[in-house]
Amino acid sequence: MQSQTRPDEIKVTYKAVDEKLDDILIALSDIGDINIAFSSELIPVTETFTIYALNKSIGGILNDILNDTSLTYKLVGNQLVIIKDEYKFAPEFLTISGKIVDRESGEPLPYASIYLYDRSLGTEANEYGFFSLKLPNGLKRIYATYLGYDKSIKEIRLVKDTVITVGLKPQASLNEVLIVDRALDIPSEKISSTDRLPVDRIRSIAALGGEPDVLRLAHLSSGVTTGADGFGGLNVRGGSSDQNLMLLDGVPVYNTGHAFGLFSVYNPNIIKSAEILKGSMPARFGGRLSSIMDVRTKDGNLQKAAGNISVGVVALNATLEGPISKDASSYIVSFRRTIVDPFIKNITEYINDINARTGQASYYYYDFNGKINLKLNDKHRLIMSYYRGADVFGNNVTSTSSQGALTNEELKSDEWDGGNNVALLRLNSKLSQNLFAKTSVYFSNYDYNSFTYNRIIETDVNENIFYSAGLYESKIQDFGVKLDIDYIPNANHIVRTGIHAVRHDFSPGLITFNEGDQIVEGRDPVTKRIVEALLKEPQLTGNELSAYVEDEININEHFKVNVGVHANAIQTNSNVYTSIQPRAGLLYTWKKLFAKMGYSRTNQYLHLISNTGLGIPIDVWIPSSDQLKPEQANIYNAGLGVNIGNGYSLDVEGYFKQFENIVGIQEGAFLDINEGTDWQSAIPVGSGEAYGFEANISKTVGQSVWQANYTYSKSMRTFEELNGGRPFEFRFNRDHQFKFAFIRKINSNAEFSLNWLFGSGNPITAPIQLQPYIDNKGIQRLLPIYTEKNNQLLPEYHRLDIAFSFYGDFSWADKWRFTLGLYNAYNRKNPAYIDIQKDRDRPETFSLYQYSILPVLPTASFSISF
Amino acid sequence: MRKFYPLLIFPLAIFVLSISSCVDEYNGGINDVESNLFIFAELEAGEQLELRVLKTSAFGESTNIQFPEDAVVILDFGAGSARILYDASKDMYCEELITIEENKDYSIDVTLERSSLDDITASTTVPVSKGFETAAIFKSSNDLDQLELNFSIAFDDMQLEDYYHVLPYFYISKIVGTDTIVGIEKNYVKFGSLPRDLDNINSLAHRDGVIFNGSSIDGNEIAFKGLAGVTLESDEVIENITIETRTTDMSYFHYHKQLSKQILLDQTNLGEPVLVGSNVVNGYGLFGSFSKDVKIMILQ
């Protein structure tokens, strides 16, 4: 069979001088014996063309003629059709930019992914949902995803620079629950080791006291440890809790825990996204050695007024949001407060009563968040936000006992209150299609004080009064100005740069007294006011300046690099410390496999001296000073992974860290931190190293989703002044950790969740025997013998949390959710600390007792959104 | 009604578990640690040897302080060695025939005859006394209840690694007519309000006086304040202050400094555990030494 020649390949000889286009097309149809279809409305009517063609294809002739017009031809069946070519005069590459938002509320979705459908090009939105992609012109299928949202696919004819808004629909149910960002069903691996926390599912898991908590989500990540039940803060890959930069909308928050860390200050109702960066850091981050916890709050619903009320076992939470101007400006306010005050009062009164004491305790915490999001014009948006949260505690107990002629009157009083204020004014500017800037002015303050007083009056023939009183205060104030610029020349290249200036004002104070100091007469009680008058807190300041530049480039379809440098300096009283910190990361992807490695040098100018034992919680933040040099770290990490498919993914990562100039806590009672006391020179300064290995496996798509991870970790510290100069294990290290999280959709209105955490015991300093000593009255007494710091391991920590969630719609409300669960379901007595006491069965001997804090606890919460 | 019982068991069990005790005995292998010998000796130049031998108390053992009487205590004093015998009247091992001498090495070996406890050894070199060169003591207040004393003391030879324990004390004199009768009770100056400055001057929680490391003073005059800590009647005066300066060996200094920190911590429970340490091999305690210089200063 003879093959038929395509109409545009038929060769003809043709000549035309100053002919109109329609005449030429008709002539070519006749000569070639083909049909050339055209609309006279499309073709130019006045323009004439001259052409000489000798044995040339009709397609070639048409290309020559139409070259300078906006027309082209298309083969349709057996005929050639003259059509308009809208891409013909478009630049080869065009920019598509815009925002990725929640379709229902208009909230921008930070770090959402946007890709070409064939995944050949793509990028990630910035923290405000802005993105910019440079693409070849033509018809493009754009694919956007975000954790907890349905995917969105858009077709766009790209003939000019285009601004779009991509709206993603929140997932109503567990069709595709995503535990972490690695769950995205297209590879979106980051160069840095970052876990995106599934805040959209925060209400699905069993929450202590019915209070969903983003920090407890972070506890489920590999490489993250805490003390028992969250005490001891967040410790990431062998770093201490002060080495985490805890951010709220980009502003540092110094105290992130309520009730000593049982709950976090991050109100779940207002959180939009949360990420924890665990490994080497891109250059844009600085100021802490080990990790960044980046929590972003909602901007407010741009579409309609909405709200949420939730009540749990512990707290009541109410949120209201809505547009100030629809699709342009919005507000959101949220308030949370504990509701357990009467319970605490009654239960402590009852416990005191059965122990022949009188008194009661009181405790509450609260959080207020407010935010206004104003669209100034198409290019500028102003955000004002404020957070205030605080804890208030009081406990007063008195008791009297008699033994023969001896009477003992005991008074014990503790009170503390403290909280954060965080205020932010930020201008987000879209200076061009590929240039973004944010200018921020912020204020972050943490003010804490605690007072403790114990008095014993022994009366027989004489009256002897013994007392100890202590006051601890910590005032921290940061005032900062920041400018961050993102420049996106094309989809394969992002340049970030910025500058940050902050003034730190710190005034810590700690003073203790006993009866030997004679600050009161006789039976007069020592009051907080008396001690306050004797405390003269040192005033410490530091002016810090930092700048960075960071370049992220897709070298080819396999390699992506992020290189940069972060530089900073701080001025203390008579010193200026400077630091240049190189940062580098490399990501290699091949089909479903990826490999990454990174290095960063980090430093921090802030130091936290924190006690690990019982008594008043002491968190003394101080800036670097003439005595205290900045802390520094080198972080190395490398990992491999595979997105297996069907929602399964597997990755492993190893890390090594070195710390220098880190601070410790001197052995013995805390030094008084008072004006005129040389307390800074008594702070031990040392070094440390940490290394470990993490493995993660997850299934993130389907009716059942789960994640499991294992971490092996070692973290050591060495201080000349501590432990006889010998290295010792970091207090919150756990050699082995295994974590498992599981969520199962039961039906369209119910879910079941289960978390199980296992960690080998963390080290503590425990006495091994008791030794006698003779006091200055010649009386022999006993004291514990400590031979090594952190010489003992507490028993293993493990805990199972389970929860059932039921949800649906009311006719008068958008959504409701009821969660019922058990925290520590099998009542594991996880020890938090140990103490020496007289043996309960043999009072002539002493024994060590371990104290666990949280037994099995039912949890329940109910929330409605409207 | 019967079918509701299983439903009640669950919340009831949760309630019972929730309020159940959260205190358990901790072992972690510590209960397997056995007692050790503990000795305490502060050899004083010019005085006879006195040594306490005790046992530490392992957890779970009786906390009644035990004084083993069957210890074989051998003192090596360079020129020879001698067995030191137990003096039941003092609960100590004493030897009247041996006088401790400055700048001389002493070592001790203690064995319990009927016990599996490890033998212990320890040694010390008695330091040469370096009393202060000049001193001045001022009253900064005439408040009889809060008589404050300012000490200013200068030492020679402070560049060496010397350790000092300074114990100022006084006697209260009573004025009777034109006579002054000196009391017999020794009153030690109190240093409770000293800043707890660990590297320079340390007040002790369990002993009178202050201790400090001479090298950290570095030849400078040192000054510190103390309180008389007594209430004087209108006819009572303090005429002079006696300053006993002990030049101690390093073990004496470190043991008391660390022990004091530990005792203070035990009182406040606000701080970190202290590794007291010991120069006793296989055991605990102190085998230290000092030589003494005593000067009487007129109170200005």
Side-chain angles (χ1 to χ4, degrees), chain A residues 518 612 668 671 769-770 776 792 829 844 846 848 850 852 856, chain B residues 18 21-22 24 26 28 36 56-57 60 63 146 196 206 272:
Chain A
Q518 301 179 3
T612 56
L671 290 185
Q769 298 182 55
L770 298 164
N776 50 2
Q792 287 282 315
K829 291 181 179 176
E844 77 283 6
F846 279 91
L848 290 171
Q850 62 183 44
S852 50
V856 56
Chain B
S18 296
S21 167
C22 48
D24 288 298
Y26 172 79
N36 286 83
T56 59
S57 298
T63 53
Q146 293 289 329
R196 297 184 189 106
H206 61 298
E272 294 293 303

PDB file of all heavy atoms in Angstrom, chain A residues 518 612 668 671 769-770 776 792 829 844 846 848 850 852 856, chain B residues 18 21-22 24 26 28 36 56-57 60 63 146 196 206 272:
ATOM      1  N   GLN A 518      20.013  35.930 109.266  1.00  0.00           N
ATOM      2  CA  GLN A 518      19.291  36.834 110.163  1.00  0.00           C
ATOM      3  C   GLN A 518      18.623  37.997 109.419  1.00  0.00           C
ATOM      4  O   GLN A 518      18.848  39.157 109.743  1.00  0.00           O
ATOM      5  CB  GLN A 518      20.247  37.358 111.240  1.00  0.00           C
ATOM      6  CG  GLN A 518      20.851  36.238 112.073  1.00  0.00           C
ATOM      7  CD  GLN A 518      21.823  36.745 113.134  1.00  0.00           C
ATOM      8  OE1 GLN A 518      22.027  37.939 113.298  1.00  0.00           O
ATOM      9  NE2 GLN A 518      22.429  35.821 113.842  1.00  0.00           N
ATOM     10  N   THR A 612      18.587  20.520  86.926  1.00  0.00           N
ATOM     11  CA  THR A 612      17.961  19.280  86.479  1.00  0.00           C
ATOM     12  C   THR A 612      17.302  18.551  87.634  1.00  0.00           C
ATOM     13  O   THR A 612      16.670  17.540  87.437  1.00  0.00           O
ATOM     14  CB  THR A 612      19.006  18.345  85.855  1.00  0.00           C
ATOM     15  OG1 THR A 612      20.042  18.123  86.821  1.00  0.00           O
ATOM     16  CG2 THR A 612      19.592  18.942  84.615  1.00  0.00           C
ATOM     17  N   GLY A 668      26.868  21.456  93.369  1.00  0.00           N
ATOM     18  CA  GLY A 668      26.485  22.088  94.623  1.00  0.00           C
ATOM     19  C   GLY A 668      25.326  23.034  94.453  1.00  0.00           C
ATOM     20  O   GLY A 668      24.712  23.131  93.384  1.00  0.00           O
ATOM     21  N   LEU A 671      24.769  29.255  92.942  1.00  0.00           N
ATOM     22  CA  LEU A 671      25.348  30.498  93.437  1.00  0.00           C
ATOM     23  C   LEU A 671      24.273  31.573  93.454  1.00  0.00           C
ATOM     24  O   LEU A 671      23.370  31.566  92.627  1.00  0.00           O
ATOM     25  CB  LEU A 671      26.446  30.974  92.493  1.00  0.00           C
ATOM     26  CG  LEU A 671      27.716  30.163  92.459  1.00  0.00           C
ATOM     27  CD1 LEU A 671      28.717  30.834  91.568  1.00  0.00           C
ATOM     28  CD2 LEU A 671      28.280  30.074  93.864  1.00  0.00           C
ATOM     29  N   GLN A 769      26.216   5.201  97.926  1.00  0.00           N
ATOM     30  CA  GLN A 769      26.249   4.850  99.349  1.00  0.00           C
ATOM     31  C   GLN A 769      26.047   6.133 100.138  1.00  0.00           C
ATOM     32  O   GLN A 769      25.884   7.211  99.575  1.00  0.00           O
ATOM     33  CB  GLN A 769      27.609   4.255  99.736  1.00  0.00           C
ATOM     34  CG  GLN A 769      27.987   2.980  99.040  1.00  0.00           C
ATOM     35  CD  GLN A 769      29.327   2.472  99.545  1.00  0.00           C
ATOM     36  OE1 GLN A 769      29.516   2.282 100.741  1.00  0.00           O
ATOM     37  NE2 GLN A 769      30.252   2.258  98.640  1.00  0.00           N
ATOM     38  N   LEU A 770      26.107   5.997 101.455  1.00  0.00           N
ATOM     39  CA  LEU A 770      26.060   7.172 102.333  1.00  0.00           C
ATOM     40  C   LEU A 770      27.347   7.223 103.138  1.00  0.00           C
ATOM     41  O   LEU A 770      27.841   6.194 103.601  1.00  0.00           O
ATOM     42  CB  LEU A 770      24.866   7.063 103.284  1.00  0.00           C
ATOM     43  CG  LEU A 770      23.497   7.031 102.600  1.00  0.00           C
ATOM     44  CD1 LEU A 770      22.437   6.533 103.564  1.00  0.00           C
ATOM     45  CD2 LEU A 770      23.117   8.410 102.089  1.00  0.00           C
ATOM     46  N   ASN A 776      30.013  20.988 112.638  1.00  0.00           N
ATOM     47  CA  ASN A 776      30.773  21.853 113.529  1.00  0.00           C
ATOM     48  C   ASN A 776      30.294  21.796 114.978  1.00  0.00           C
ATOM     49  O   ASN A 776      30.853  22.448 115.846  1.00  0.00           O
ATOM     50  CB  ASN A 776      30.780  23.306 113.013  1.00  0.00           C
ATOM     51  CG  ASN A 776      29.391  23.773 112.695  1.00  0.00           C
ATOM     52  OD1 ASN A 776      28.428  23.040 112.898  1.00  0.00           O
ATOM     53  ND2 ASN A 776      29.282  24.995 112.195  1.00  0.00           N
ATOM     54  N   GLN A 792      24.058   6.593  86.512  1.00  0.00           N
ATOM     55  CA  GLN A 792      23.030   5.559  86.508  1.00  0.00           C
ATOM     56  C   GLN A 792      22.011   5.841  85.410  1.00  0.00           C
ATOM     57  O   GLN A 792      21.762   7.002  85.068  1.00  0.00           O
ATOM     58  CB  GLN A 792      22.280   5.555  87.844  1.00  0.00           C
ATOM     59  CG  GLN A 792      23.081   4.988  88.994  1.00  0.00           C
ATOM     60  CD  GLN A 792      23.120   3.471  88.962  1.00  0.00           C
ATOM     61  OE1 GLN A 792      22.105   2.829  88.749  1.00  0.00           O
ATOM     62  NE2 GLN A 792      24.292   2.904  89.162  1.00  0.00           N
ATOM     63  N   LYS A 829       4.760   3.111  84.964  1.00  0.00           N
ATOM     64  CA  LYS A 829       5.284   4.092  85.916  1.00  0.00           C
ATOM     65  C   LYS A 829       6.670   4.526  85.437  1.00  0.00           C
ATOM     66  O   LYS A 829       7.683   3.977  85.854  1.00  0.00           O
ATOM     67  CB  LYS A 829       5.341   3.506  87.307  1.00  0.00           C
ATOM     68  CG  LYS A 829       3.948   3.274  87.877  1.00  0.00           C
ATOM     69  CD  LYS A 829       4.020   2.707  89.255  1.00  0.00           C
ATOM     70  CE  LYS A 829       2.606   2.518  89.806  1.00  0.00           C
ATOM     71  NZ  LYS A 829       2.616   1.878  91.123  1.00  0.00           N
ATOM     72  N   GLU A 844      15.376   2.393 109.814  1.00  0.00           N
ATOM     73  CA  GLU A 844      16.775   2.625 110.179  1.00  0.00           C
ATOM     74  C   GLU A 844      17.681   2.607 108.942  1.00  0.00           C
ATOM     75  O   GLU A 844      18.882   2.830 109.049  1.00  0.00           O
ATOM     76  CB  GLU A 844      17.243   1.586 111.210  1.00  0.00           C
ATOM     77  CG  GLU A 844      17.551   0.195 110.680  1.00  0.00           C
ATOM     78  CD  GLU A 844      16.315  -0.656 110.394  1.00  0.00           C
ATOM     79  OE1 GLU A 844      15.180  -0.127 110.507  1.00  0.00           O
ATOM     80  OE2 GLU A 844      16.471  -1.824 110.023  1.00  0.00           O
ATOM     81  N   PHE A 846      18.233   3.708 104.679  1.00  0.00           N
ATOM     82  CA  PHE A 846      17.807   4.598 103.592  1.00  0.00           C
ATOM     83  C   PHE A 846      17.685   3.800 102.297  1.00  0.00           C
ATOM     84  O   PHE A 846      18.431   2.837 102.084  1.00  0.00           O
ATOM     85  CB  PHE A 846      18.831   5.715 103.378  1.00  0.00           C
ATOM     86  CG  PHE A 846      18.676   6.845 104.350  1.00  0.00           C
ATOM     87  CD1 PHE A 846      19.366   6.852 105.558  1.00  0.00           C
ATOM     88  CD2 PHE A 846      17.837   7.899 104.062  1.00  0.00           C
ATOM     89  CE1 PHE A 846      19.219   7.896 106.452  1.00  0.00           C
ATOM     90  CE2 PHE A 846      17.687   8.951 104.955  1.00  0.00           C
ATOM     91  CZ  PHE A 846      18.382   8.952 106.154  1.00  0.00           C
ATOM     92  N   LEU A 848      16.657   4.294  97.884  1.00  0.00           N
ATOM     93  CA  LEU A 848      16.385   5.202  96.765  1.00  0.00           C
ATOM     94  C   LEU A 848      15.002   4.889  96.218  1.00  0.00           C
ATOM     95  O   LEU A 848      14.659   3.726  96.018  1.00  0.00           O
ATOM     96  CB  LEU A 848      17.429   5.010  95.668  1.00  0.00           C
ATOM     97  CG  LEU A 848      18.834   5.501  95.999  1.00  0.00           C
ATOM     98  CD1 LEU A 848      19.815   5.062  94.931  1.00  0.00           C
ATOM     99  CD2 LEU A 848      18.840   7.024  96.102  1.00  0.00           C
ATOM    100  N   GLN A 850      12.141   5.870  93.187  1.00  0.00           N
ATOM    101  CA  GLN A 850      11.915   6.529  91.896  1.00  0.00           C
ATOM    102  C   GLN A 850      10.485   7.056  91.846  1.00  0.00           C
ATOM    103  O   GLN A 850       9.554   6.386  92.301  1.00  0.00           O
ATOM    104  CB  GLN A 850      12.184   5.574  90.739  1.00  0.00           C
ATOM    105  CG  GLN A 850      11.289   4.353  90.701  1.00  0.00           C
ATOM    106  CD  GLN A 850      11.665   3.424  89.572  1.00  0.00           C
ATOM    107  OE1 GLN A 850      12.834   3.152  89.342  1.00  0.00           O
ATOM    108  NE2 GLN A 850      10.662   2.935  88.855  1.00  0.00           N
ATOM    109  N   SER A 852       7.434   8.518  89.558  1.00  0.00           N
ATOM    110  CA  SER A 852       6.853   8.731  88.240  1.00  0.00           C
ATOM    111  C   SER A 852       5.765   9.794  88.398  1.00  0.00           C
ATOM    112  O   SER A 852       5.217   9.982  89.481  1.00  0.00           O
ATOM    113  CB  SER A 852       6.284   7.434  87.676  1.00  0.00           C
ATOM    114  OG  SER A 852       5.452   6.813  88.615  1.00  0.00           O
ATOM    115  N   VAL A 856      -1.760   6.372  84.172  1.00  0.00           N
ATOM    116  CA  VAL A 856      -2.767   6.344  83.114  1.00  0.00           C
ATOM    117  C   VAL A 856      -3.755   7.486  83.366  1.00  0.00           C
ATOM    118  O   VAL A 856      -4.173   7.727  84.498  1.00  0.00           O
ATOM    119  CB  VAL A 856      -3.491   4.976  83.081  1.00  0.00           C
ATOM    120  CG1 VAL A 856      -4.101   4.625  84.406  1.00  0.00           C
ATOM    121  CG2 VAL A 856      -4.559   4.965  81.989  1.00  0.00           C
TER     122      VAL A 856
ATOM    123  N   SER B  18      -5.090   5.656  88.298  1.00  0.00           N
ATOM    124  CA  SER B  18      -4.703   7.065  88.275  1.00  0.00           C
ATOM    125  C   SER B  18      -4.269   7.561  89.636  1.00  0.00           C
ATOM    126  O   SER B  18      -3.381   8.404  89.748  1.00  0.00           O
ATOM    127  CB  SER B  18      -5.847   7.937  87.765  1.00  0.00           C
ATOM    128  OG  SER B  18      -6.141   7.609  86.450  1.00  0.00           O
ATOM    129  N   SER B  21      -0.088   4.794  93.712  1.00  0.00           N
ATOM    130  CA  SER B  21       1.177   5.393  94.091  1.00  0.00           C
ATOM    131  C   SER B  21       2.095   5.523  92.893  1.00  0.00           C
ATOM    132  O   SER B  21       2.156   4.645  92.035  1.00  0.00           O
ATOM    133  CB  SER B  21       1.845   4.511  95.139  1.00  0.00           C
ATOM    134  OG  SER B  21       3.174   4.902  95.312  1.00  0.00           O
ATOM    135  N   CYS B  22       2.804   6.615  92.811  1.00  0.00           N
ATOM    136  CA  CYS B  22       3.758   6.772  91.731  1.00  0.00           C
ATOM    137  C   CYS B  22       5.178   6.758  92.285  1.00  0.00           C
ATOM    138  O   CYS B  22       6.064   7.373  91.743  1.00  0.00           O
ATOM    139  CB  CYS B  22       3.476   8.038  90.931  1.00  0.00           C
ATOM    140  SG  CYS B  22       3.218   9.460  91.929  1.00  0.00           S
ATOM    141  N   ASP B  24       8.188   4.130  93.633  1.00  0.00           N
ATOM    142  CA  ASP B  24       8.656   2.754  93.730  1.00  0.00           C
ATOM    143  C   ASP B  24      10.109   2.764  94.164  1.00  0.00           C
ATOM    144  O   ASP B  24      10.826   3.734  93.898  1.00  0.00           O
ATOM    145  CB  ASP B  24       8.565   2.049  92.369  1.00  0.00           C
ATOM    146  CG  ASP B  24       7.131   1.759  91.991  1.00  0.00           C
ATOM    147  OD1 ASP B  24       6.479   1.006  92.725  1.00  0.00           O
ATOM    148  OD2 ASP B  24       6.659   2.332  90.985  1.00  0.00           O
ATOM    149  N   TYR B  26      13.847   2.219  93.914  1.00  0.00           N
ATOM    150  CA  TYR B  26      14.748   2.206  92.761  1.00  0.00           C
ATOM    151  C   TYR B  26      15.949   1.341  93.090  1.00  0.00           C
ATOM    152  O   TYR B  26      16.540   1.476  94.160  1.00  0.00           O
ATOM    153  CB  TYR B  26      15.208   3.635  92.444  1.00  0.00           C
ATOM    154  CG  TYR B  26      16.285   3.693  91.389  1.00  0.00           C
ATOM    155  CD1 TYR B  26      15.971   3.573  90.041  1.00  0.00           C
ATOM    156  CD2 TYR B  26      17.619   3.867  91.740  1.00  0.00           C
ATOM    157  CE1 TYR B  26      16.959   3.626  89.069  1.00  0.00           C
ATOM    158  CE2 TYR B  26      18.609   3.921  90.782  1.00  0.00           C
ATOM    159  CZ  TYR B  26      18.270   3.797  89.447  1.00  0.00           C
ATOM    160  OH  TYR B  26      19.253   3.850  88.480  1.00  0.00           O
ATOM    161  N   GLY B  28      18.398  -0.252  90.181  1.00  0.00           N
ATOM    162  CA  GLY B  28      19.391   0.122  89.180  1.00  0.00           C
ATOM    163  C   GLY B  28      20.770  -0.404  89.511  1.00  0.00           C
ATOM    164  O   GLY B  28      21.777   0.164  89.108  1.00  0.00           O
ATOM    165  N   ASN B  36      31.980   0.413 102.092  1.00  0.00           N
ATOM    166  CA  ASN B  36      33.436   0.557 102.045  1.00  0.00           C
ATOM    167  C   ASN B  36      33.920   1.083 103.385  1.00  0.00           C
ATOM    168  O   ASN B  36      33.138   1.617 104.180  1.00  0.00           O
ATOM    169  CB  ASN B  36      33.832   1.561 100.965  1.00  0.00           C
ATOM    170  CG  ASN B  36      33.669   0.995  99.567  1.00  0.00           C
ATOM    171  OD1 ASN B  36      32.587   0.999  99.017  1.00  0.00           O
ATOM    172  ND2 ASN B  36      34.751   0.485  99.019  1.00  0.00           N
ATOM    173  N   THR B  56      31.042   3.133 105.389  1.00  0.00           N
ATOM    174  CA  THR B  56      29.937   3.804 104.702  1.00  0.00           C
ATOM    175  C   THR B  56      28.694   2.926 104.840  1.00  0.00           C
ATOM    176  O   THR B  56      28.801   1.750 105.190  1.00  0.00           O
ATOM    177  CB  THR B  56      30.256   3.995 103.210  1.00  0.00           C
ATOM    178  OG1 THR B  56      30.484   2.716 102.638  1.00  0.00           O
ATOM    179  CG2 THR B  56      31.480   4.875 103.013  1.00  0.00           C
ATOM    180  N   SER B  57      27.554   3.511 104.568  1.00  0.00           N
ATOM    181  CA  SER B  57      26.301   2.751 104.638  1.00  0.00           C
ATOM    182  C   SER B  57      25.776   2.531 103.234  1.00  0.00           C
ATOM    183  O   SER B  57      25.466   3.495 102.524  1.00  0.00           O
ATOM    184  CB  SER B  57      25.250   3.526 105.437  1.00  0.00           C
ATOM    185  OG  SER B  57      25.695   3.706 106.747  1.00  0.00           O
ATOM    186  N   GLY B  60      19.985   0.294 102.006  1.00  0.00           N
ATOM    187  CA  GLY B  60      19.371  -0.908 102.554  1.00  0.00           C
ATOM    188  C   GLY B  60      20.054  -1.373 103.828  1.00  0.00           C
ATOM    189  O   GLY B  60      19.523  -2.207 104.549  1.00  0.00           O
ATOM    190  N   THR B  63      21.645   2.684 109.017  1.00  0.00           N
ATOM    191  CA  THR B  63      22.336   3.972 108.949  1.00  0.00           C
ATOM    192  C   THR B  63      23.003   4.340 110.257  1.00  0.00           C
ATOM    193  O   THR B  63      23.531   5.437 110.391  1.00  0.00           O
ATOM    194  CB  THR B  63      21.336   5.085 108.574  1.00  0.00           C
ATOM    195  OG1 THR B  63      20.242   5.007 109.493  1.00  0.00           O
ATOM    196  CG2 THR B  63      20.839   4.918 107.169  1.00  0.00           C
ATOM    197  N   GLN B 146      24.786  42.659 115.764  1.00  0.00           N
ATOM    198  CA  GLN B 146      25.302  42.362 114.423  1.00  0.00           C
ATOM    199  C   GLN B 146      26.728  42.882 114.291  1.00  0.00           C
ATOM    200  O   GLN B 146      27.057  43.558 113.316  1.00  0.00           O
ATOM    201  CB  GLN B 146      24.413  43.036 113.369  1.00  0.00           C
ATOM    202  CG  GLN B 146      23.018  42.485 113.265  1.00  0.00           C
ATOM    203  CD  GLN B 146      22.993  41.092 112.658  1.00  0.00           C
ATOM    204  OE1 GLN B 146      23.821  40.753 111.841  1.00  0.00           O
ATOM    205  NE2 GLN B 146      22.053  40.272 113.098  1.00  0.00           N
ATOM    206  N   ARG B 196      29.127  32.872  98.207  1.00  0.00           N
ATOM    207  CA  ARG B 196      29.653  31.510  98.033  1.00  0.00           C
ATOM    208  C   ARG B 196      30.528  31.477  96.778  1.00  0.00           C
ATOM    209  O   ARG B 196      30.165  30.933  95.747  1.00  0.00           O
ATOM    210  CB  ARG B 196      28.494  30.527  97.939  1.00  0.00           C
ATOM    211  CG  ARG B 196      27.695  30.494  99.196  1.00  0.00           C
ATOM    212  CD  ARG B 196      26.606  29.461  99.150  1.00  0.00           C
ATOM    213  NE  ARG B 196      25.752  29.635 100.312  1.00  0.00           N
ATOM    214  CZ  ARG B 196      24.545  30.160 100.249  1.00  0.00           C
ATOM    215  NH1 ARG B 196      24.062  30.558  99.107  1.00  0.00           N
ATOM    216  NH2 ARG B 196      23.824  30.271 101.339  1.00  0.00           N
ATOM    217  N   HIS B 206      29.948  23.081 107.404  1.00  0.00           N
ATOM    218  CA  HIS B 206      30.063  22.115 108.491  1.00  0.00           C
ATOM    219  C   HIS B 206      31.198  22.427 109.435  1.00  0.00           C
ATOM    220  O   HIS B 206      31.428  21.695 110.399  1.00  0.00           O
ATOM    221  CB  HIS B 206      30.269  20.720 107.905  1.00  0.00           C
ATOM    222  CG  HIS B 206      31.530  20.604 107.082  1.00  0.00           C
ATOM    223  ND1 HIS B 206      31.739  21.340 105.957  1.00  0.00           N
ATOM    224  CD2 HIS B 206      32.641  19.850 107.240  1.00  0.00           C
ATOM    225  CE1 HIS B 206      32.924  21.045 105.447  1.00  0.00           C
ATOM    226  NE2 HIS B 206      33.492  20.145 106.212  1.00  0.00           N
ATOM    227  N   GLU B 272      23.045  20.994  91.896  1.00  0.00           N
ATOM    228  CA  GLU B 272      23.463  19.726  91.313  1.00  0.00           C
ATOM    229  C   GLU B 272      24.270  18.905  92.306  1.00  0.00           C
ATOM    230  O   GLU B 272      25.002  19.464  93.140  1.00  0.00           O
ATOM    231  CB  GLU B 272      24.329  20.009  90.081  1.00  0.00           C
ATOM    232  CG  GLU B 272      23.567  20.668  88.959  1.00  0.00           C
ATOM    233  CD  GLU B 272      22.518  19.744  88.371  1.00  0.00           C
ATOM    234  OE1 GLU B 272      22.861  18.650  87.919  1.00  0.00           O
ATOM    235  OE2 GLU B 272      21.331  20.135  88.398  1.00  0.00           O
TER     236      GLU B 272
END
